[in-house]
Amino acid sequence: MTDTAPRPNAASALPDKPSLEGLEDKWDRVWDAAQVYAFDADTTRDQVFSVDTPPPTASGSLHIGHVFGYSQADMIVRYQRMRGKNVFYPLGWDDNGLPTERRVQNYFGVRCDPSLPYEEDFTPPQEGGDNKSAKAANQKPISRRNFIELCERLTKIDEASFEEVFRTLGLSVDWNHSYQTIDARSRATSQRAFLENLATGQAYQSEAPTMWDVTYRTAVAQAEQEDRERDGAYHRIGFTKADGSGEKVFIETTRPELLPACVALVAHPDDERYQELFGTTVASPLFGVEVPVLAHPLAQADKGAGIAMICTFGDANDVTWWRELELPTRSVIGRDGRFLPEAPWITSAEGRERYAELAGLTVFSAQKRLVEMVTETGDLVGEPKRITHPVKFYENGDKALEYVTSRQWYLTNGGRDTSEGGLRDALIARGAEITWHPAYMESRYRNWVEGLAGDWLVSRQRFYGVPIPVWYALDAAGEVDYDTVLTPELERLPIDPTTDAPVGYEESQRDRPGGFTADPDILDTWATSSLTPQLAGGWDADPELFAKVYPMDLRPQGHDIIRTWLFSTIVRSHLQQDSLPWYNTSINGWILDPDRKKMSKSKGNVVTPIGLLHDHGSDGVRYWAGRARQGVDTAFDEGQMKIGRRLAIKILNASKFALGFGTAPADPSGRLAADPSAVTHPLDRAMLATLAEVVDSATAAFEEMDYARALEVVEPFFWTFCDDFIELIKDRAHGASASGEEGAASARAALAIALEVLLRLFAPVIVFATEEVWSWWREGSVHTQPWPTSDALREAAAGQDAALLGTVEQAAIVLRRIKSDAKVSQKTPILQVTVTAPESAIAHLEAARGDLTALGRIEALTITGGEVEGIATSDVELGEPPVKKPRNQG
């Protein structure tokens, strides 16, 4: 119900002492019961505003950054709802992947061992653990099924706590449309997309060098990697020429431990120093393996010795050289980060003996031992040169990544298609089609796409995730035939190939010669999260709903995941639907700690939000988020939250005060809170004219999804409305001025109109206080009211110059200053005063003479024109201050 007529006897509904306490729980229950934010499926696409809401990772606890970003998105959504849109605003939980596995391992003190059998009624060794249990030696190995059950158990707990925070925050999401990225619907959707990509050749397998996290023993995609500065050293090591001269060719390397994996030396083709060496061979120190000296333009003549050791594999350059120069693969580092037991290309007895000393060592220990070896043999020249340099890490890992050769699944993403008009160009064009808020964030997207070095690696060697839905045939010898990929029918999805058998096979044929074997890997969590528009919109499960909400209108998210979530979603929608996933994206910044560093769980400097929501009220915290501009990193500032809390309290108190003057006549047209024809006083009309300008500015800002600019416009008006306008018309509204009942009716109508408009203007940001005030005198929810427009306000202003309000407010400030400078009460009468103003302001002041004299308790007011800047006073005579009443001692 959205009846706009004031309730009869409105003042009787006013509370004795308005308070913010308890409003979050009160209104959440009301909104939930009334389904205020529920999506109406009986709709057309043009009526809908749909949101691809970020599904938070359900592992641990939310932090203040979540509150920050989700509040900002909610402000945009609430505005669109008030603009008459049928809002589709779901919320999912991103509950699969490594973060959840890691939390389960720590929390329950377990680790997954797929070779173990399932244990009925399993009880974990602990509950509520911390990082002390992170070492595998301290964790109990359990079956994959037992491990997944613990993951599901813990994510339910985390999701319930997350929902409590979001409800307390006042997010206007539709809880009827929630989902999990690991539930049956999401698994089916993700597997269907993968199988369709496989059928079109967009998904493919390749055995190649892959960035590998040795701690988690899983491949890591380019988007999940980050550079960290680490100490290192250049080691100058000599290779022996094969011409029998005994001369050395010196290289400088930060990875001496990879000497046994060396497959060539390489220099720039134009480097004069090495022209005679190209086409010859040299022998590696310690191991005596003969390797060629080759030319390649990627080699840097001004770096180190100008000639580099190609190993398989030390860095991305090694991979490029290996591929383009068609070099052999000689891997020495295994998936566990330790040196492999054998290096068969080392044929000399002395070389094998030396390699045996490295076998089984970690990279760190192997480097230390090898440096000792080349020092002992004299192959190391001089002392290592200490440096700091960027090293690749998995964003959630604590050990440097290594290149490991493995068979993985990839999805085309333009990384290898650099042809004109190819996939890379198409994805760049998609980014340009989107409206970015702020606009400059589009360049971050473009830069990422242009810098891609390969396709998207989507397989992971983990356990809690969406299984890759394929099997492989086994030949008569039991060897895997990777060219014979067995796929399920779409109707069977979701499936788990480790427990389900492919069509045409029996379970008894699993891992038997002539039978089949399952792909043991899962899809990267981003491979499912990239389908959030499809998951939330029902692409696979509810095509009718999908047609009404897709492409979505908005994707809100942080700027740090443009390269992961935003890009991957564009990739999937381009490949699956040949469309954009959404038309707009709103990018929020990071939260910075007092040292201007990003707050993050990994840094241990995060603040959890629930205490802040209780201390400052959700409206106060939302205000802080609403003051921050899109894309801008913002300091964590409880001071701003306190200001927001004061604003929310002021809305309660000022509203009660304004409503306490009595009811105003109803607007017959129903467009305003009171009859605009009752507004006759010039000051009241000027206030409404000014408010019309505020409405236009706030609307223009929100149309650009700029909630911060809208708040910057509305808030100052509100404070002057409270501090100046209400004080100026107070006596008149009570009927205590010479203007009589007409003046009182004008003031009351103006107050009612302005208050209702202000409540609607503040509603997207200050959600609880505005709803509370609305309930005192209006029907329905303020959050389902139409957004205010300026037309009716301008009609009520009847052409009055809005500048009148500013002039009179300035005069009010000057008159109050007389008493504050004299250090007397504002109730002290002014026996006489002359107010001098520019000639252009005289008419404004005369129009509000009665309100000014009432405000200043002025007995004799002279208004005169003069050459002054602003407004000045003179000939001031103060009366006796009022006698303070003694306090009641009894």
Side-chain angles (χ1 to χ4, degrees):
M1 185 176 182
T2 57
D3 179 15
T4 56
R7 290 176 178 174
N9 304 315
S12 64
L14 301 180
D16 292 334
K17 293 183 178 180
S19 172
L20 295 177
E21 275 61 46
L23 293 187
E24 290 89 351
D25 181 60
K26 169 186 174 180
W27 287 112
D28 174 62
R29 285 186 282 107
V30 171
W31 295 334
D32 194 43
Q35 292 289 283
V36 168
Y37 306 125
F39 174 69
D40 183 0
D42 184 13
T43 189
T44 58
R45 179 63 186 89
D46 62 304
Q47 297 171 321
V48 171
F49 184 85
S50 51
V51 187
D52 183 18
T53 318
T57 301
S59 59
S61 59
L62 292 170
H63 59 77
I64 193 62
H66 290 102
V67 165
F68 182 74
Y70 283 84
S71 293
Q72 292 172 348
D74 189 58
M75 295 167 198
I76 297 170
V77 171
R78 285 180 177 275
Y79 167 77
Q80 291 292 335
R81 187 180 288 111
M82 296 178 76
R83 290 291 281 179
K85 288 293 187 177
N86 181 11
V87 172
F88 181 71
Y89 191 20
L91 182 64
W93 308 109
D94 195 7
D95 42 15
N96 78 78
L98 184 58
T100 300
E101 287 191 26
R102 190 174 190 179
R103 175 157 160 72
V104 166
Q105 289 170 350
N106 296 340
Y107 191 87
F108 292 114
V110 297
R111 60 182 172 86
C112 183
D113 183 346
S115 67
L116 295 177
Y118 176 69
E119 184 178 334
E120 294 281 354
D121 301 321
F122 173 72
T123 301
Q126 67 183 44
E127 190 161 346
D130 55 27
N131 283 330
K132 293 179 182 178
S133 65
K135 292 183 179 179
N138 298 332
Q139 297 169 343
K140 177 181 175 63
I142 60 175
S143 73
R144 179 173 182 170
R145 183 176 165 189
N146 285 126
F147 186 75
I148 289 174
E149 286 178 353
L150 290 179
C151 290
E152 293 170 341
R153 174 175 157 188
L154 191 55
T155 53
K156 286 181 181 178
I157 296 172
D158 289 340
E159 287 161 12
S161 66
F162 283 21
E163 182 175 334
E164 179 188 0
V165 172
F166 284 146
R167 285 182 176 275
T168 302
L169 184 61
L171 292 193
S172 60
V173 300
D174 183 354
W175 295 103
N176 302 307
H177 286 277
S178 61
Y179 63 91
Q180 298 170 301
T181 58
I182 197 63
D183 63 22
R185 187 182 70 177
S186 294
R187 294 199 309 276
T189 299
S190 185
Q191 290 180 337
R192 172 187 168 184
F194 175 83
L195 291 172
E196 290 185 359
N197 295 142
L198 179 62
T200 59
Q202 296 158 346
Y204 64 92
Q205 282 190 92
S206 178
E207 186 162 3
T210 305
M211 290 298 273
W212 188 269
D213 187 287
V214 299
T215 302
Y216 300 112
R217 301 193 186 184
T218 185
V220 177
Q222 182 182 353
E224 299 171 302
Q225 300 166 23
E226 63 183 24
D227 286 333
R228 299 180 193 172
E229 286 293 320
R230 289 293 182 267
D231 293 333
Y234 275 117
H235 301 77
R236 186 175 177 82
I237 298 173
F239 283 66
T240 305
K241 291 183 179 180
D243 59 6
S245 66
E247 292 183 19
K248 299 280 188 178
V249 178
F250 292 98
I251 58 98
E252 293 184 10
T253 179
T254 61
R255 299 293 305 269
E257 72 277 11
L258 293 181
L259 270 174
C262 181
V263 291
L265 300 189
V266 63
H268 194 278
D270 297 333
D271 195 328
E272 293 295 333
R273 294 171 293 178
Y274 302 109
Q275 294 298 315
E276 293 183 358
L277 277 174
F278 294 144
T280 68
T281 60
V282 293
S284 62
L286 301 180
F287 307 104
V289 177
E290 198 167 305
V291 298
V293 181
L294 305 171
H296 194 280
L298 193 61
Q300 296 175 261
D302 59 349
K303 183 177 180 181
I307 189 166
M309 172 176 71
I310 304 176
C311 301
T312 52
F313 297 92
D315 59 20
N317 285 342
D318 284 342
V319 176
T320 301
W321 286 323
W322 165 80
R323 182 180 294 119
E324 295 185 4
L325 297 173
E326 298 182 348
L327 298 170
T329 301
R330 295 170 180 168
S331 299
V332 294
I333 300 175
R335 295 188 176 196
D336 59 355
R338 294 181 179 272
F339 270 57
L340 296 171
E342 295 181 353
W345 56 90
I346 300 175
T347 56
S348 70
E350 190 175 22
R352 288 179 177 274
E353 186 177 328
R354 284 170 174 158
Y355 184 81
E357 292 188 47
L358 304 178
L361 296 182
T362 64
V363 171
F364 175 82
S365 298
Q367 182 181 100
K368 181 180 178 182
R369 180 62 190 122
L370 194 138
V371 170
E372 291 172 349
M373 289 181 184
V374 290
T375 301
E376 293 165 2
T377 60
D379 291 304
L380 176 68
V381 177
E383 290 294 321
K385 298 176 185 177
R386 299 297 170 187
I387 61 166
T388 59
H389 61 143
V391 177
K392 294 290 184 186
F393 280 76
Y394 171 46
E395 59 189 358
N396 293 321
D398 52 15
K399 288 187 178 180
L401 294 174
E402 297 290 349
Y403 274 97
V404 171
T405 301
S406 60
R407 179 175 291 277
Q408 302 289 344
W409 283 99
Y410 295 85
L411 190 65
T412 55
N413 69 350
R416 299 180 67 180
D417 183 358
T418 59
S419 60
E420 185 175 351
L423 181 56
R424 179 176 297 197
D425 285 351
L427 293 172
I428 290 173
R430 287 292 189 203
E433 291 178 55
I434 295 167
T435 301
W436 296 73
H437 307 273
Y440 64 82
M441 285 293 173
E442 191 267 340
S443 64
R444 296 198 184 187
Y445 169 85
R446 176 185 291 269
N447 291 341
W448 171 253
V449 180
E450 290 176 342
L452 286 170
D455 282 335
W456 179 8
L457 192 159
V458 295
S459 50
R460 292 293 180 273
Q461 291 65 53
R462 301 300 302 171
F463 313 108
Y464 188 52
V466 176
I468 294 178
V470 301
W471 304 264
Y472 307 102
L474 299 180
D475 63 19
E479 295 296 321
V480 179
D481 179 6
Y482 287 108
D483 293 329
T484 306
V485 179
L486 309 174
T487 59
E489 303 90 339
L490 295 182
E491 295 74 25
R492 291 185 65 194
L493 302 179
I495 63 108
D496 183 346
T498 65
T499 56
D500 298 320
V503 172
Y505 291 85
E506 300 290 338
E507 180 60 31
S508 60
Q509 295 175 277
R510 184 183 295 274
D511 298 325
R512 299 297 181 100
F516 70 93
T517 190
D519 191 310
D521 293 345
I522 62 171
L523 287 167
D524 168 24
T525 185
W526 291 114
T528 301
S529 300
S530 60
L531 294 167
T532 49
Q534 290 85 351
L535 296 176
W539 168 55
D540 191 48
D542 192 344
E544 185 178 347
L545 172 65
F546 191 62
K548 294 174 180 177
V549 302
Y550 183 90
M552 294 192 167
D553 294 279
L554 175 65
R555 153 66 73 81
Q557 66 160 72
H559 62 67
D560 54 325
I561 51 175
I562 288 175
R563 63 192 176 96
T564 49
W565 190 38
L566 187 145
F567 171 62
S568 64
T569 308
I570 293 176
V571 170
R572 302 309 291 279
S573 289
H574 179 78
L575 297 181
Q576 305 300 147
Q577 278 80 34
D578 190 23
S579 73
L580 289 172
W582 6 257
Y583 301 112
N584 298 272
T585 182
S586 175
I587 307 296
N588 62 268
W590 285 338
I591 302 303
L592 306 178
D593 68 12
D595 295 325
R596 305 297 295 178
K597 295 178 181 177
K598 176 195 175 186
M599 282 191 172
S600 68
K601 290 181 181 180
S602 62
K603 290 184 172 67
N605 61 349
V606 297
V607 176
T608 53
I610 198 67
L612 295 170
L613 296 175
H614 290 156
D615 292 344
H616 305 295
S618 296
D619 282 341
V621 176
R622 289 175 64 98
Y623 170 88
W624 161 70
R627 292 282 296 181
R629 293 204 173 277
Q630 287 159 312
V632 177
D633 295 342
T634 302
F636 174 70
D637 187 356
E638 287 193 70
Q640 283 286 329
M641 298 177 195
K642 292 176 181 177
I643 293 172
R645 180 177 176 82
R646 286 198 295 270
L647 173 61
I649 292 172
K650 188 68 173 180
I651 289 173
L652 295 179
N653 292 333
S655 298
K656 180 189 175 186
F657 188 69
L659 293 172
F661 292 122
T663 57
D667 177 10
S669 70
R671 292 202 299 160
L672 295 171
D675 187 350
S677 66
V679 183
T680 57
H681 196 283
L683 180 60
D684 302 337
R685 288 178 168 178
M687 183 273 294
L688 294 181
T690 304
L691 182 55
E693 295 175 354
V694 170
V695 168
D696 283 343
S697 296
T699 303
F702 262 122
E703 283 298 306
E704 294 298 319
M705 300 190 179
D706 193 343
Y707 48 81
R709 184 158 57 92
L711 184 57
E712 288 171 357
V713 171
V714 176
E715 185 186 3
F717 176 86
F718 173 74
W719 284 110
T720 56
F721 172 79
C722 296
D723 296 341
D724 296 327
F725 180 77
I726 290 180
E727 291 299 317
L728 280 162
I729 58 90
K730 183 165 55 177
D731 280 19
R732 180 157 53 87
H734 278 306
S737 74
S739 61
E741 185 54 38
E742 181 182 350
S746 177
R748 292 171 186 172
L751 281 172
I753 292 170
L755 179 60
E756 191 203 50
V757 169
L758 282 166
L759 290 175
R760 286 186 280 163
L761 289 174
F762 274 125
V765 181
I766 311 295
V767 301
F768 293 104
T770 54
E771 185 76 311
E772 177 69 7
V773 172
W774 192 267
S775 73
W776 297 344
W777 67 313
R778 314 297 282 164
E779 296 291 341
S781 168
V782 68
H783 301 297
T784 56
Q785 303 306 308
W787 182 257
T789 60
S790 60
D791 293 346
L793 291 172
R794 286 198 167 87
E795 290 176 20
Q800 179 62 59
D801 183 5
L804 182 150
L805 178 66
T807 302
V808 176
E809 287 174 342
Q810 188 178 0
I813 292 171
V814 170
L815 291 171
R816 282 197 291 255
R817 190 181 300 140
I818 292 172
K819 299 176 186 179
S820 59
D821 288 348
K823 295 182 172 54
V824 296
S825 166
Q826 289 295 325
K827 295 181 180 180
T828 301
I830 298 177
L831 301 181
Q832 67 174 22
V833 63
T834 296
V835 174
T836 304
E839 290 294 339
S840 60
I842 298 303
H844 292 169
L845 296 177
E846 288 292 355
R849 174 183 284 272
D851 291 334
L852 286 169
T853 57
L855 173 74
R857 298 172 184 260
I858 302 170
E859 295 184 9
L861 171 63
T862 301
I863 300 175
T864 183
E867 295 184 3
V868 294
E869 289 187 9
I871 295 175
T873 59
S874 60
D875 304 324
V876 177
E877 183 180 348
L878 290 172
E880 290 295 322
V883 178
K884 289 185 179 181
K885 295 181 180 180
R887 291 183 178 180
N888 186 347
Q889 301 297 318

